[in-house]
């Protein structure tokens, strides 16, 4: 047989089943689509502020206490995903905030911390969810913090300030985004806004159904544009919701994610959806291990929701990552490290809930009783005195992001550390490289190490969208 003809023939045959690297990495979007690798849908999951230690400890807790491996880690164990490390820097720092990080994904450019898709000279970078809307796809965001917060906003709008949440609430309506769910009633409710604008009414006039209770998800009108605002401020931490009856009228991240997918999945041109576990970041800022682990596990359930859909759908690219690290928590070496770590199963509430329950008129025994009832930790008299000092005004210096009451988060986490072997390097963001995983059409384009801005064009290329 002629060797040249044989080789040419085998190339044709193998081409029926595989895509050559030149096609995978080319800018020829038409070629990618023709090879059957086009992503009709994209689901982008962000566990905000998730350091690698957060992922590890949540998975260890899941295995040791719940008796199962985590969904994200199962994707690694079963070799189902492409995996990379990602550099999360912003234009102004090696340590990003959530606005600049989200803008890297959303606008494809690194911007300064604090702004959303605005360049150094006022350039406006068109956010990616707008690009996909222009291409005929439906677009949505669900989060456990305010829906107007930095991470969802970075996929959707341009703003000089991440703090302009009143304005961002109005921008979403003007853009006609299809599903928006999370917290933030104060940015929509006329009685809570300084300008007294009724933003809910604005949405209703544009044809949106407005949801305010978890039960509203059961009576949703299929396919109709949806605004779900289930709390003032962020949604409750998962562990508090699980143990406090009055908080159980708010949905979980996985429940919101499933509804959002169902609302958009029948669109002939597909959909794009951001899913954010926003309170993972807030828990890290507070050095609150119970809050951190349980909200990471709640995020992990949303990962399962997305992957379950994608495995059946076959046309969905799922991206799983974080926007940056935070506080770099980790399990610390010790003779009884694992046993001590497992004691976190005794924690029934967040540190935020526990520390809010302490008052200046408490005596030492009352504090000791409260801590034992909620964490099964027996405080010494000195530890109880130290905690009480924060409430008597002697040590009111503890601040930290999202700690306007100046609760002694750091002091209490140091006490817990003696019992659970969990340490923290800070109460703020970190510049470490972070985990990134992809499943589905387009995931083969992922390189082992990427900058955050590269995901913008990867999504467009995977969906064969020219913007």
């Amino acid at each position: 047989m002629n060797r040249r003809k044989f080789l040419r023939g085998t190339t044709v045959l193998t081409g029926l089943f595989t895509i050559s690297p030149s096609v995978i990495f080319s800018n020829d979007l038409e070629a990618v689509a023709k090879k059957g690798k086009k992503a009709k849908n994209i689901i982008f999951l962000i566990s905000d502020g998730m350091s690698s230690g957060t992922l590890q400890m949540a998975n260890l807790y899941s295995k040791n206490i719940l008796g199962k491996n985590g969904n994200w880690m199962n994707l690694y164990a079963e070799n189902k995903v492409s995996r990379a490390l990602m550099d999360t820097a912003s234009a102004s720092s090696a340590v990003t905030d959530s606005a600049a990080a989200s803008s890297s994904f959303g606008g494809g450019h690194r911007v300064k911390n604090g702004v959303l898709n605005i360049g150094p000279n006022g350039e406006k970078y068109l956010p990616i969810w707008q690009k996909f809307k222009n291409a005929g796809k439906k677009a949505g965001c669900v989060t456990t913090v305010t829906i107007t917060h930095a991470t969802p906003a970075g996929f959707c709008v341009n703003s000089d300030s991440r703090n302009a949440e009143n304005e961002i609430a109005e921008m979403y309506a003007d853009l006609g985004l299809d599903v928006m769910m999370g917290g933030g009633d104060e940015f929509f409710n006329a009685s809570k806004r300084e300008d007294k604008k009724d933003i809910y009414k604005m949405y209703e006039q544009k044809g949106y159904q407005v949801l305010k209770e978890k039960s509203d998800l059961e009576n949703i009108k299929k396919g109709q544009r949806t605004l779900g605002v289930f709390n003032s401020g962020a949604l409750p931490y998962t562990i508090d919701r699980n143990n406090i009856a009055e908080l159980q009228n708010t949905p979980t991240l996985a429940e919101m994610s499933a509804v959002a997918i169902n609302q958009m999945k029948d669109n002939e041109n597909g959909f794009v959806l951001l899913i954010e576990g926003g309170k993972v970041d807030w828990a890290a800022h507070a050095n609150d291990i119970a809050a951190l682990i349980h909200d990471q596990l709640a995020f992990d359930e949303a990962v399962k929701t997305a992957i379950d859909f994608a495995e059946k759908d076959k046309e969905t690219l799922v991206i799983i990552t974080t926007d940056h690290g935070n506080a770099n928590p980790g399990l610390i070496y010790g003779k009884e490290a694992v046993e001590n770590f497992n004691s976190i199963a005794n924690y029934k509430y967040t540190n935020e809930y526990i520390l809010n329950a302490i008052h200046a008129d408490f005596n030492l025994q009352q504090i000791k009783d409260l801590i034992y009832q909620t964490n099964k930790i027996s405080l010494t008299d000195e530890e109880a005195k130290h905690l009480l000092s924060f409430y008597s005004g002697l040590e009111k210096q503890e601040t930290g992001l999202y700690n306007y009451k100046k609760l002694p988060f750091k002091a209490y986490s140091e006490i817990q550390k003696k019992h659970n072997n969990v340490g923290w390097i800070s109460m703020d963001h970190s510049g470490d490289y972070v985990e990134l995983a992809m499943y589905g059409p387009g995931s083969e384009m992922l390189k082992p190490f990427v900058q955050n801005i590269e995901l913008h064009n990867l999504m467009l290329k995977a969906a064969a969208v020219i913007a």
Side-chain angles (χ1 to χ4, degrees), residues 3 15 23 28 33 43 66 82 90 146 183 214 246 294 304 393 402 424 438 440-441 458-459 463:
R3 183 173 181 271
V23 171
D28 186 352
I43 302 175
L66 306 180
S82 300
S90 72
T146 58
K214 176 180 177 179
E246 56 265 33
H294 287 276
K304 183 178 188 303
Y402 309 117
W424 311 77
M438 291 189 186
L458 188 151
M459 286 188 279

Side-chain angles (χ1 to χ4, degrees), residues 102-136:
S102 185
S103 297
S104 295
F105 307 138
H109 295 266
R110 284 184 166 166
V111 300
K112 293 181 179 180
N113 290 347
V115 304
L116 296 162
N117 298 307
I118 300 287
N121 300 307
E123 304 95 332
K124 291 187 175 182
Y125 306 121
L126 187 64
I128 195 162
W129 268 205
Q130 290 192 43
K131 291 181 179 182
F132 282 126
K133 284 286 289 180
N134 293 340

Side-chain angles (χ1 to χ4, degrees), residues 388-442:
L388 187 59
S389 69
F390 288 89
Y391 297 86
S392 61
L394 298 178
E395 294 195 34
K396 271 292 186 181
Q397 76 275 19
E398 272 215 20
T399 55
L401 205 55
Y402 309 117
N403 186 19
Y404 65 95
K405 293 184 179 180
K406 299 184 179 179
L407 297 171
F409 285 128
K410 185 67 176 177
Y412 188 52
S413 73
E414 289 295 328
I415 292 171
Q416 289 178 316
K417 175 183 174 181
K418 300 173 187 177
H419 301 271
N420 60 30
N421 276 60
V422 173
W424 311 77
I425 67 162
S426 75
M427 300 183 82
D428 216 334
H429 295 182
S430 54
D432 38 313
Y433 299 145
V434 299
E435 286 285 336
L436 169 62
M438 291 189 186
Y439 173 89

Side-chain angles (χ1 to χ4, degrees), residues 61 289-290 293-294 340-348 420 422:
Y61 186 95
I289 189 60
I293 285 177
H294 287 276
N340 289 346
F341 176 81
N342 289 347
S343 73
I344 296 169
N346 295 321
Y347 298 7
K348 302 306 179 187
N420 60 30
V422 173

